[in-house]
Amino acid sequence: MERKVRVRFAPSPTGPLHIGGVRTALYNYLFARQHGGDMILRIEDTDSRRFVPGAEEYINEALAWLGIKIDEGVKEGGAYGPYKQSERRDIYREHVKMLLDAGKAYIAFDTPEELDKARAEVANFQYDASTRGSMRNSLSMPAEEVKALIDAGTPYVVRFKIEPGRDVTVNDLLRGNVTINSSILDDKVLYKSSDDLPTYHLANIVDDHLMEVTHVIRGEEWLPSAPLHVLLYEAFGWADTAPAFVHLPLLLKPDGKGKLSKRDGDRLGFPVFPLEWHDPKSGETSSGYRESGYLPQAVVNFLALLGWNPGDDTEMMSMDELIAKFSIDHCSRAGAKFAYEKGRWFNHEYLQLLPDAELAELFKPVMRAHGVDPEAFSDEYITRAVGMVKSRINFVADLWDHARFFFVAPDTYEEKSVKKRWNEDTPRIMGELQEQLRALPSLESKAAEETILKWITDNGYHMGNVMNAFRLAVVGECKGPHMFDITELLGLDETVARLAAAVERLG
Ligand code: GLU
């Protein structure tokens, strides 16, 4: 019988979710939705030393911001909980016992010092079939001694007893069969009595089994753990229902040389985290895509294409389109260069798709930040202003540079253009221009343009000089949207006032 597709995203709350982790979550989500399956969010917090307060909330907030919806998890609940590993101790204890009883695992008492000593004495020491006989464990020691030590509360670990010389095959849907020899594996620690907690390996596979996970889609860095996981499924007798693996390629530095790091982001000016993160220990703040002005749909689209392609050159895809098109077959095995400029391009494109009124709402906080009260303008005014300049922006905040003159009259004028365009005739001509504008029945762009251009030509004035002086007076510099669109929105009084002010200031 076909099992229902169930995938999980299993982050450890050790800090902010890295952008690579976000991509893993996204691919899991796309895969689950496409197959009508379930998306689980499991918090893997068995390493208490690495726990960071706020990290779990951060993960929830980031996924929600991006529109990656969780079906089962700590917040969402579900029939397979608890979804936080630190709340599943009983389950792990029971499973450790199952392996011990079946002779597939054993108890070891070696202290850190004893392990160091072994490493110093034996070249390439590995705790395995060749060395375990000379270490202090339940295979090498009499049963009474083992029991006595445990009864006395001596700390111990439980190790997986790996049989050497066996071929172990990991079936990876992306990479095909990856086979290694079990002799290269060490007897991994599965449980530590000191904190009564399992290690990642045990907790991860017990949970994948109990939560009926069908596909483990995760980063390539976990590929080396996969053979061990295959052996654990076998040891528990779960091989038949073991999940299929997909190990996603690494995200690389923009130049492709090595793994993407936070430092690359700092150096080149792009975030590597979905949301801003305030490190509770160092007090350091790391920038996030959200706070840097990215739209979530742009980030999703950008990340989806870092390691996957739809088989053609389609670039713009909504979440629903990504769900429909996603396939493991089109994931790449090679690392994906983190082309952050492409992220900016996506943001630009998605901003163009937003209705102007929505963009205006997003712009209001930016106006406030620059000391302009949006309430002093009508929504229609702000909407038309942003609509005129949006093709020039990559981020909402960029709107300020391009649209500020709609809200604040210039008080200085770009010097280079003044030199070039403002000559001794200009004040007189700008005076005449004010009269011409006043005489118009309205400032409607097309009609105003026709009349004013005709007036310039009829008088034999220099078209470039007059129009640029006009623009300088109204905008403060020689760039911006179509001049008569600007004046239509500013209105007669404001336009004339700006012309008069420029004449007064520039003489
Ligand atoms: N807790 C692991 C992590 O932080 C999970 C790895 C996996 O998906 O198996 O990524």
Side-chain angles (χ1 to χ4, degrees), residues 169-473:
T169 299
V170 177
N171 180 353
D172 185 300
L173 298 183
L174 183 55
R175 292 156 204 269
N177 284 345
V178 181
T179 302
I180 62 124
N181 193 286
S182 64
S183 299
I184 67 164
L185 300 174
D186 64 339
D187 290 352
K188 274 273 169 326
V189 172
L190 302 178
Y191 169 87
K192 299 183 278 9
S193 72
S194 57
D195 53 8
D196 184 28
L197 275 172
T199 57
Y200 154 73
H201 301 290
L202 184 95
N204 187 266
I205 76 117
V206 165
D207 287 350
D208 282 347
H209 173 73
L210 294 179
M211 294 180 183
E212 296 183 37
V213 168
T214 57
H215 296 78
V216 165
I217 304 173
R218 61 184 172 189
E220 180 175 71
E221 63 274 28
W222 301 99
L223 183 56
S225 301
L228 175 74
H229 295 184
V230 168
L231 289 175
L232 274 168
Y233 284 114
E234 227 175 72
F236 277 114
W238 301 333
D240 289 351
T241 55
F245 291 105
V246 178
H247 290 97
L248 300 171
L250 284 178
L251 289 185
L252 304 176
K253 295 179 190 302
D255 64 6
K257 293 182 187 140
K259 197 174 155 220
L260 177 71
S261 74
K262 178 167 141 36
R263 243 170 302 135
D264 300 315
D266 294 341
R267 183 167 55 88
L268 298 165
F270 61 86
V272 298
F273 301 115
L275 316 178
E276 198 167 271
W277 167 255
H278 306 278
D279 191 296
K281 273 202 224 91
S282 68
E284 193 196 342
T285 295
S286 304
S287 67
Y289 277 85
R290 182 177 64 184
E291 292 73 12
S292 302
Y294 285 84
L295 297 171
Q297 53 273 44
V299 178
V300 162
N301 199 154
F302 166 55
L303 285 181
L305 289 171
L306 286 176
W308 169 81
N309 69 76
D312 55 35
D313 49 20
T314 315
E315 293 195 290
M316 295 287 286
M317 284 168 279
S318 66
M319 189 70 102
D320 284 342
E321 287 166 318
L322 290 170
I323 289 169
K325 292 185 180 194
F326 184 75
S327 79
I328 303 293
D329 294 347
H330 279 114
C331 286
S332 111
R333 280 182 293 262
K337 283 186 204 167
F338 197 79
Y340 62 98
E341 281 116 339
K342 195 74 197 186
R344 287 186 196 151
W345 179 84
F346 273 113
N347 209 52
H348 169 85
E349 293 297 316
Y350 276 95
L351 283 170
Q352 307 313 305
L353 296 180
L354 280 190
D356 292 349
E358 234 173 272
L359 199 52
E361 284 308 315
L362 296 176
F363 182 49
K364 286 180 180 177
V366 179
M367 294 173 69
R368 278 191 207 99
H370 284 95
V372 172
D373 179 8
E375 301 304 319
F377 300 88
S378 72
D379 280 353
E380 197 212 329
Y381 184 92
I382 304 174
T383 300
R384 285 174 62 191
V386 302
M388 266 188 246
V389 301
K390 70 174 179 182
S391 66
R392 300 155 199 261
I393 61 158
N394 288 334
F395 300 101
V396 172
D398 297 347
L399 284 169
W400 180 253
D401 277 348
H402 297 282
R404 64 169 287 158
F405 67 86
F406 281 113
F407 308 98
V408 185
D411 50 12
T412 57
Y413 305 92
E414 189 187 38
E415 221 168 292
K416 201 177 74 209
S417 306
V418 172
K419 274 208 188 95
K420 189 163 166 208
R421 304 295 188 179
W422 199 277
N423 50 47
E424 41 189 40
D425 294 337
T426 310
R428 176 180 56 80
I429 298 175
M430 291 300 115
E432 285 175 24
L433 177 56
Q434 291 172 53
E435 293 320 307
Q436 290 294 320
L437 292 167
R438 278 193 220 282
L440 290 171
S442 90
L443 282 198
E444 188 276 316
S445 179
K446 277 257 151 352
E449 176 173 11
E450 214 171 282
T451 312
I452 299 300
L453 296 193
K454 183 169 181 300
W455 161 75
I456 297 174
T457 327
D458 288 353
N459 283 278
Y461 294 151
H462 186 284
M463 182 65 75
N465 283 355
V466 175
M467 285 308 295
N468 277 293
F470 186 15
R471 187 178 281 279
L472 262 180

Side-chain angles (χ1 to χ4, degrees), residues 9-237:
F9 178 52
S12 300
T14 54
L17 189 56
H18 188 270
I19 201 73
V22 176
R23 185 195 57 171
T24 299
L26 175 64
Y27 284 18
N28 272 286
Y29 176 71
L30 297 177
F31 188 80
R33 281 291 173 275
Q34 181 175 74
H35 291 92
D38 299 324
M39 168 83 171
I40 303 164
L41 175 62
R42 185 171 72 223
I43 300 297
E44 301 210 325
D45 59 346
T46 56
D47 191 346
S48 47
R49 288 162 309 170
R50 295 181 57 214
F51 176 82
V52 173
E56 186 180 336
E57 294 72 17
Y58 180 98
I59 292 164
N60 287 323
E61 200 180 333
L63 297 180
W65 179 64
L66 291 160
I68 296 173
K69 297 188 191 75
I70 303 302
D71 300 307
E72 292 173 28
V74 178
K75 274 195 310 142
E76 297 74 12
Y80 297 77
Y83 292 91
K84 194 184 280 200
Q85 290 188 327
S86 58
E87 293 169 12
R88 298 171 64 82
R89 287 169 196 261
D90 293 348
I91 298 170
Y92 305 129
R93 226 180 272 129
E94 185 190 316
H95 283 82
V96 168
K97 188 168 179 310
M98 279 162 65
L99 290 181
L100 284 171
D101 290 350
K104 311 249 182 199
Y106 59 94
I107 288 171
F109 298 100
D110 316 270
T111 61
E113 296 72 34
E114 284 163 342
L115 289 169
D116 283 346
K117 189 161 164 271
R119 284 189 203 103
E121 280 167 8
V122 182
N124 301 322
F125 173 83
Q126 170 167 289
Y127 210 119
D128 63 14
S130 69
T131 57
R132 63 172 86 107
S134 56
M135 303 301 289
R136 295 182 57 234
N137 55 55
S138 58
L139 300 176
S140 65
M141 293 157 67
E144 315 79 70
E145 195 182 337
V146 171
K147 187 174 180 302
L149 283 171
I150 294 175
D151 290 347
T154 314
Y156 65 89
V157 299
V158 173
R159 286 184 181 269
F160 189 31
K161 188 177 168 209
I162 293 192
E163 301 303 337
R166 279 197 43 203
D167 280 343
V168 188
T169 299
V170 177
N171 180 353
D172 185 300
L173 298 183
L174 183 55
R175 292 156 204 269
N177 284 345
V178 181
T179 302
I180 62 124
N181 193 286
S182 64
S183 299
I184 67 164
L185 300 174
D186 64 339
D187 290 352
K188 274 273 169 326
V189 172
L190 302 178
Y191 169 87
K192 299 183 278 9
S193 72
S194 57
D195 53 8
D196 184 28
L197 275 172
T199 57
Y200 154 73
H201 301 290
L202 184 95
N204 187 266
I205 76 117
V206 165
D207 287 350
D208 282 347
H209 173 73
L210 294 179
M211 294 180 183
E212 296 183 37
V213 168
T214 57
H215 296 78
V216 165
I217 304 173
R218 61 184 172 189
E220 180 175 71
E221 63 274 28
W222 301 99
L223 183 56
S225 301
L228 175 74
H229 295 184
V230 168
L231 289 175
L232 274 168
Y233 284 114
E234 227 175 72
F236 277 114

